Amino acid sequence: MVFISDLHIPYEDKKAVELVIKFLEEFKPHILILGGDMLDFMGLSRFSKDPKRALTTQDDIDKLQNLLRRIRDIIPASQIIYLEGNHEYRLTNYKWTKCPELSYIRALKLPKLLDLDSLNITFIPYTRYYNYKKLYFVHGDVISKHSGMTAKAMLDKWGVNIICGHSHRTGKHNRTTMSGNQGSWESGCLCDLDPEYIKGKANWMQGFSIVEYYKDKVFYVNNVDIVKYSFIHGNKYYTI
C-alpha cells in the first residue's frame, strides 16, 4: 500500500509529484490511498486570498482530474481510495453557507466533478476513514507544529494504529500497552514548501508512506522522506 496526501493543487510541487509517479509506476501497489487535500480550493476559502484564485477553480479541478487519469493508467489493477481532506471540504462548506440551494445537486459534488466513477476510484467523505487489517487511514483533524506530535495527537484521539496527512510533516509515534504495540504516522506532503501565502519558511517536509504486510498478519510502515527530490527504498535510489 502507498499513502500520499496534501498536494494542494495548484500549489503542488511538480517535481515531487513526478518523483512519486515514477515510483508508483514501478512499485505498483495493491492499494493506493490519496489522503486528502489533493486540491487546495483557495478560491472557496473564508481566509484572505488573491482574488484571481476565485477564477481558477475549474482549472485546478481539471489539473487533478488529469493527474488521476495518469495514475490510473500506470496502475490499472490497483485499488484507489480517495479520502476527502479539509481543503476539499471547503466545497461543501461554501455551498452550505453561500448557496445552500445548490448543496445537494449531484453534479456539483466532488466525486462527480472529478469523474471518480469512471476512474474506479472510491471516495470517502471527510468525516469517515478507511480501515485495512487493523490500520486506519484518515486525512487528519488535529495538528501540532512539531514533527511527530500530530501523529501522537492522532493516536491519543483515535486509540488505533493510524496514518494521516494534514500536518505537512513526516513523523511517527509508538506506544506499548497491555494490549500490545500501537503506532501512528504522519506522512508528509507533496506541495510547494515555499508557497505564496506563507510568511517566512514553512516547517513542512515532503514525503509519503509505504505499508507492507507479511502474510496479512503484521504490517510495517515506512515513512519515506523526500530530500532534494530523492529517496531510497528497497536499496534503490529514486531521483528526478
Side-chain angles (χ1 to χ4, degrees):
M1 307 172 73
V2 171
F3 180 96
I4 65 174
S5 72
D6 294 275
L7 275 68
H8 288 273
I9 291 172
Y11 301 111
E12 79 280 14
D13 187 318
K14 295 177 178 60
K15 289 181 70 174
V17 172
E18 285 301 315
L19 180 61
V20 173
I21 290 289
K22 179 180 179 181
F23 173 75
L24 290 174
E25 189 169 16
E26 180 176 306
F27 189 68
K28 297 193 183 303
H30 293 95
I31 302 174
L32 170 65
I33 299 173
L34 308 173
D37 286 3
M38 305 294 285
L39 285 166
D40 190 85
F41 275 140
M42 175 64 83
L44 306 183
S45 171
R46 59 187 171 87
F47 301 107
S48 297
K49 53 187 177 288
D50 184 341
K52 72 180 180 181
R53 285 298 180 204
L55 306 177
T56 64
T57 300
Q58 184 62 57
D59 293 339
D60 300 341
I61 290 171
D62 291 344
K63 182 183 285 190
L64 177 56
Q65 190 179 58
N66 289 334
L67 176 62
L68 295 177
R69 287 197 187 105
R70 186 179 173 198
I71 290 173
R72 175 49 80 195
D73 285 344
I74 65 173
I75 51 172
S78 301
Q79 182 181 1
I80 302 179
I81 309 292
Y82 190 133
L83 298 170
E84 184 179 25
N86 58 296
H87 278 253
E88 284 103 347
Y89 197 66
R90 283 175 170 174
L91 176 62
T92 297
N93 279 333
Y94 184 88
K95 289 187 293 184
W96 284 359
T97 58
K98 302 291 186 180
C99 49
E101 297 84 0
L102 303 179
S103 294
Y104 297 101
I105 294 178
R106 288 190 295 274
L108 297 179
K109 293 182 180 292
L110 189 62
K112 286 292 186 181
L113 292 173
L114 293 172
D115 200 17
L116 297 186
D117 284 347
S118 72
L119 296 170
N120 193 23
I121 296 176
T122 301
F123 182 78
I124 297 180
Y126 178 54
T127 56
R128 304 304 298 164
Y129 55 83
Y130 178 67
N131 176 28
Y132 186 86
K133 299 185 184 298
K134 298 183 179 181
L135 180 59
Y136 287 74
F137 299 84
V138 298
H139 174 67
D141 57 354
V142 295
I143 198 164
S144 171
K145 65 181 180 180
H146 298 297
S147 175
M149 290 297 98
T150 295
K152 180 182 184 301
M154 290 296 290
L155 183 57
D156 289 341
K157 178 176 180 177
W158 287 67
V160 294
N161 299 306
I162 194 165
I163 294 180
C164 70
H166 190 47
S167 71
H168 295 196
R169 301 179 186 91
T170 59
K172 65 175 291 189
H173 180 77
N174 289 81
R175 70 184 181 197
T176 300
T177 67
M178 293 296 289
S179 62
N181 180 265
Q182 289 181 314
S184 65
W185 297 262
E186 48 188 307
S187 68
C189 64
L190 294 176
C191 58
D192 184 359
L193 297 181
D194 190 24
E196 63 187 43
Y197 53 86
I198 293 290
K199 295 179 181 179
K201 190 68 175 177
N203 179 26
W204 298 347
M205 303 104 203
Q206 292 176 339
F208 63 99
S209 297
I210 301 170
V211 184
E212 298 181 88
Y213 282 80
Y214 177 71
K215 294 183 178 180
D216 283 338
K217 293 181 179 180
V218 61
F219 62 84
Y220 300 90
V221 178
N222 177 17
N223 262 11
V224 179
D225 288 279
I226 296 173
V227 180
K228 296 183 178 179
Y229 300 114
S230 64
F231 64 88
I232 293 175
H233 176 71
N235 294 322
K236 181 171 181 178
Y237 178 66
Y238 293 85
T239 190
I240 194 167

